Amino acid sequence: QVQFVESGGGLVQPGGSLRLSCAVSGFTFRNYVMTWYRQAPGKERELVATIMNDGQITIYADSVKGRFTISRDNSKNTVYLQMNSLKPEDTAVYYCRARGRNDAWGQGTQVTVSS
């Protein structure tokens, strides 16, 4: 049974930082590409960052390049999203997604950037 535990979301002031975590179980984590998405109210879900199986290749949306960093620890079955210099437009529910033999999503964690 695939399970996701997302954490790290919350309320932060503009310019602040948060670190999201997504711990997974129920499949062989190292065989899966992991991606963070986000969805703001009234908007479509969008890709934020992707990291390949071994962590050597990462891809970012233009809107977060230079501010966000995706990483993974295959020994802990966990993917992270370090978010710095946060802006109000980063406010959204953030989801992690695992793609490989199967395709599965986490439940999401709310990030709110506001003064």
Side-chain angles (χ1 to χ4, degrees):
Q1 181 180 358
V2 176
Q3 289 189 325
F4 290 76
V5 178
E6 296 185 27
S7 60
L11 173 64
V12 64
Q13 292 187 343
S17 298
L18 284 174
R19 188 193 195 205
L20 305 183
S21 299
C22 176
V24 303
S25 61
F27 59 87
T28 306
F29 181 75
R30 64 179 181 273
N31 291 344
Y32 283 70
V33 175
M34 298 300 298
T35 302
W36 286 97
Y37 288 79
R38 66 186 180 186
Q39 187 166 19
K43 294 188 177 181
E44 293 185 356
R45 191 170 295 188
E46 64 173 349
L47 185 149
V48 176
T50 293
I51 187 165
M52 298 303 167
N53 306 46
D54 60 3
Q56 294 301 305
I57 297 174
T58 56
I59 301 169
Y60 296 92
D62 287 344
S63 58
V64 306
K65 280 181 182 177
R67 301 188 298 123
F68 291 12
T69 302
I70 189 171
S71 61
R72 65 190 294 162
D73 186 338
N74 287 349
S75 68
K76 296 182 179 179
N77 289 0
T78 302
V79 61
Y80 305 96
L81 186 67
Q82 177 67 44
M83 305 185 294
N84 299 328
S85 302
L86 282 161
K87 306 174 181 180
E89 51 263 44
D90 294 318
T91 296
V93 178
Y94 284 71
Y95 301 88
C96 64
R97 179 186 184 189
R99 288 177 294 163
R101 183 174 182 177
N102 299 301
D103 188 347
W105 292 79
Q107 77 284 0
T109 184
Q110 176 69 47
V111 171
T112 302
V113 184
S114 175
S115 55

